[in-house]
Amino acid sequence: MKEISCTLLVIGAGPGGYTCAIRAGQLGVDTVIVEAKKPGGTCLNIGCIPSKALIHAANEFRTIAEIATGGSRLGIAVGRPELDLSKAVAWKDGIVARLTSGVSGLLKRSKVKIVEGWARFRDGKTVEVETELGLQVIRFEQVVIATGSEPVDLPFLPFGGPIISSTGALELKEVPGSLVVVGAGYIGLELGTAFAKIGSAVTVVEAQAHILPHYDVELTRPVAKRLGELGIAVLTGARVKGPGPDGGLSIEAADGTTRRLAADRILVTVGRKPFTQGWGLDQIDLEMEGPFIRIDDRCRTSMRGVYAIGDVTGEPMLAHRAMAQGEMVAEIVAGHKRAWDRVSIPAVCFTDPEIVTAGLSPEDAKVAGHDVKVGLFPFQASGRAMTLERGDGFIRIVARADNHVLLGIQGVGAGVAELSASFSLALEMGARLEDVAETVHAHPTLSEGILEAALKALARPIHV
Ligand SMILES: Cc1cc2nc3c(=O)[nH]c(=O)nc-3n(C[C@H](O)[C@H](O)[C@H](O)COP(=O)(O)OP(=O)(O)OC[C@H]3O[C@@H](n4cnc5c(N)ncnc54)[C@H](O)[C@@H]3O)c2cc1C
C-alpha cells in the first residue's frame, strides 16, 4: 500500500484520541487517526455509555417492581413487571451504534483521515498499521498515543466462561440468578447494583475495609446502606482464593474462615491497567511512571514530538480527563500556548445513590496543610429530595478557613451526578463561600444543597 504522511497522527479513537483529532482537524492540522476496533473506545463501546444505559434500565425496572409489590406511597398501582434483558441490551447497542457512527461523522467533518487497523511504531516518526487491505505505513511529524486501558484480571480467576469483566457483564442477554462481584470500586458497584435491581442475588467481595476504598467513609455510607436495602451482601476485608469446586467462588472472609459463594457469574472488577502492550512502545523507549507513560503539563512524553493522553497516562482514568487532554494537545500542535492548569477533575460514581467529588475532601485538605471550614447539608432537609422520595445523602463543601476560597465540593444523593458541573465551575472560578452563598439557586432543586452547605460553612444556615 502507498505510504501516507501527515502532520499529526493519533493512535486510538477513544474519547481522548477522537477529541484530539477533531480539534486538530478544526484547527487545520493535517490529521490521521488509527483505530483497531470502533470509534469511541472504551467509553462509548464498553464503558461509560453502555453501563449507564444498563443502570437506567435497571432503575426503571426496580421502580416499577417496587410499586408492583406495594412499595408506592404515591397511590400508583401497576402489575408485576417483566424484563427481557436481550431487548434492553439491543436498546443499549442502538445508543452505542448511534454515538460511535456520530464520532466517525465528526472526524470526517473535521477532515480527519480515519485508518482502521492495528498501529505499531517502527520508530519515532513512522507507524505501520495492519489494515484489512494490507500494511499501511504512516509517516508523521507529531504523534499522540491514546491507547487507553484494559481490565485487570486475577491470575487465579482468568476471564472466560462464567468469569467475566465489565465488558462481558454489559453483553449478558439473561439475568444471572447469582452474581458475585469481586472488587467494590465504582465499576463493580455500578454494575452489581444494576443486576441486583433486575433480579440477581448479588454478593460483593472487597479486600479493603470498606466499599469504594478511594472515597471517604462519610460519602460512601449512604451507598453502603442502600446496598443493604437492595439485598446486596457486601463482604469487606475478604480475600478471593479462587474458583470453588462447584463453579462458585472460594474466599477467605474477614474473620479468617474460608467460605464458598455460589455464583452463576463472577464479575471481576479489580481495576484497569494502561494499554501499553503490542504497539511498539519498546521501539520508542519512552520514560514511564509506574505502568503509565510519563507526561508533563503539556502531555509531552520524554520523546520530542510524541504526546500521550488519557488512561495510558495515569489516574484518574476518566473519559472527561482524556477529552480535556486531547483538546489541549490538539491546540498545542496547532501552535497555541496551552498547559494543564485545571483545578479539578470531577469524578462521579453512578451508584445508588450517586457520588460526586470535585477537589479536596476535608481530610485531603488537612493533609495538604489547610485549616478548613466544612459545611454539610443533608438532603433530609431538602424539599426537592422529599418530592423525589429520596432524602438520603448530602452536599459537603470544603473551604480554606482564612480566605474562604473553595477547596472541594462533594455530594452523595439520587441524581447528584448532574450537579457535578456546578461543583467544578465553582472550583475552577476560584469561588469563595460568599460567592456561592450570594448566588441565587433555583427552588426547589437539589442544587440548593450547595447554597445551604456554603451557608452552613459560614455559620449562617437557613434550612437546617
Ligand atoms: C464499565 C466502565 C464504566 C466506565 N464509566 C465511566 C464513567 O461513568 N465516566 C468516566 O469518565 N469514565 C468511565 N469509564 C472510564 C472511561 O471509559 C475511560 O477513562 C476512557 O474511555 C479513557 O479514554 P481513552 O481515550 O484514554 O482510551 P479508551 O477509551 O480506552 O480508547 C482507546 C482506544 O485505542 C484503541 N487502540 C489501542 N491500541 C491501539 C493500536 N495499537 N492501534 C489502533 N488502535 C488502538 C482501542 O481499540 C480503543 O478504542 C468507564 C470504564 C468502564 C470499563
Side-chain angles (χ1 to χ4, degrees):
M1 280 174 91
K2 215 170 141 226
E3 277 187 17
I4 53 175
S5 44
C6 58
T7 307
L8 179 65
L9 175 69
V10 180
I11 302 177
Y18 81 68
T19 303
C20 182
I22 290 172
R23 185 70 188 124
Q26 286 171 350
L27 293 167
V29 178
D30 169 28
T31 305
V32 174
I33 192 164
V34 189
E35 172 54 56
K37 295 177 185 163
K38 285 196 188 144
T42 304
C43 172
L44 296 193
N45 292 286
I46 52 169
C48 321
I49 297 298
S51 60
K52 274 65 212 182
L54 178 70
I55 290 166
H56 174 67
N59 284 345
E60 295 286 276
F61 181 81
R62 172 78 190 184
T63 304
I64 300 166
E66 276 180 2
I67 294 173
T69 51
S72 171
R73 292 170 289 180
L74 314 182
I76 302 169
V78 289
R80 214 181 177 79
E82 282 178 16
L83 175 69
D84 181 342
L85 185 58
S86 62
K87 277 196 181 161
V89 169
W91 163 76
K92 176 264 288 180
D93 289 343
I95 296 171
V96 170
R98 213 167 125 197
L99 290 172
T100 54
S101 69
V103 167
S104 298
L106 292 169
L107 286 165
K108 283 176 197 148
R109 204 168 74 194
S110 301
K111 303 203 169 27
V112 175
K113 181 174 173 53
I114 306 169
V115 175
E116 290 173 16
W118 183 257
R120 211 186 144 76
F121 279 92
R122 270 189 186 169
D123 55 49
K125 290 288 173 207
T126 325
V127 148
E128 55 185 37
V129 185
E130 290 161 32
T131 73
E132 275 191 357
L133 301 173
L135 203 66
Q136 171 75 71
V137 175
I138 307 174
R139 294 194 189 284
F140 52 84
E141 289 170 25
Q142 313 203 51
V143 65
V144 177
I145 300 168
T147 51
S149 62
E150 58 183 336
V152 171
D153 62 355
L154 294 169
F156 47 89
L157 278 182
F159 294 129
I163 301 167
I164 55 175
S165 67
S166 55
T167 307
L170 292 165
E171 283 165 357
L172 291 176
K173 302 283 189 312
E174 281 178 18
V175 180
S178 54
L179 174 74
V180 173
V181 180
V182 180
Y186 84 93
I187 294 176
L189 287 191
E190 285 184 7
L191 296 177
T193 302
F195 278 101
K197 286 182 176 177
I198 56 176
S200 296
V202 176
T203 305
V204 178
V205 181
E206 168 58 51
Q208 303 284 320
H210 66 91
I211 58 162
L212 298 167
H214 299 301
Y215 292 81
D216 60 84
V217 176
E218 188 176 39
L219 269 179
T220 60
R221 202 171 285 125
V223 177
K225 183 163 177 273
R226 182 77 177 135
L227 292 174
E229 287 166 8
L230 291 167
I232 299 174
V234 179
L235 306 174
T236 49
R239 211 170 47 83
V240 174
K241 293 171 78 174
D246 48 0
L249 195 65
S250 173
I251 65 155
E252 186 182 311
D255 61 6
T257 56
T258 296
R259 285 180 59 181
R260 303 223 187 293
L261 303 175
D264 293 328
R265 301 280 176 166
I266 299 167
L267 168 59
V268 179
T269 49
V270 291
R272 294 184 63 82
K273 58 183 178 192
F275 197 71
T276 50
Q277 303 290 320
W279 48 259
L281 177 59
D282 43 336
Q283 299 300 315
I284 45 174
D285 194 24
L286 302 179
E287 270 177 32
M288 304 298 284
E289 190 160 335
F292 301 104
I293 297 175
R294 182 192 292 276
I295 52 165
D296 68 5
D297 64 352
R298 288 168 175 77
C299 291
R300 293 176 298 199
T301 67
S302 54
M303 189 182 236
R304 204 185 169 91
V306 179
Y307 297 83
I309 58 173
D311 284 8
V312 78
T313 63
E315 297 285 358
M317 288 200 249
L318 292 170
H320 42 279
R321 170 177 174 266
M323 289 190 247
Q325 289 177 321
E327 189 249 3
M328 179 187 78
V329 169
E331 298 206 343
I332 291 171
V333 170
H336 298 198
K337 282 207 173 356
R338 291 287 307 267
W340 187 262
D341 59 355
R342 309 293 163 97
V343 175
S344 144
I345 301 171
V348 179
C349 287
F350 289 82
T351 41
D352 183 3
E354 295 164 352
I355 298 179
V356 179
T357 57
L360 302 179
S361 69
E363 197 48 44
D364 292 341
K366 281 178 204 153
V367 171
H370 297 290
D371 277 339
V372 292
K373 279 188 181 293
V374 179
L376 187 148
F377 178 76
F379 283 126
Q380 266 170 353
S382 155
R384 181 59 179 146
M386 282 179 214
T387 64
L388 295 169
E389 298 183 277
R390 290 298 294 263
D392 51 337
F394 57 83
I395 303 276
R396 188 177 68 191
I397 208 161
V398 186
R400 285 173 57 142
D402 54 357
N403 60 11
H404 296 182
V405 170
L406 301 191
L407 295 169
I409 316 180
Q410 296 86 37
V412 52
V416 294
E418 297 302 329
L419 302 184
S420 61
S422 301
F423 293 10
S424 300
L425 189 63
L427 292 171
E428 211 64 53
M429 301 295 287
R432 294 164 196 259
L433 288 171
E434 288 77 359
D435 295 316
V436 179
E438 284 156 33
T439 301
V440 178
H441 287 68
H443 177 75
T445 62
L446 296 177
S447 68
E448 288 170 288
I450 310 171
L451 166 67
E452 289 288 345
L455 290 172
K456 185 80 194 294
L458 291 167
R460 50 184 176 98
I462 300 291
H463 289 97
V464 71

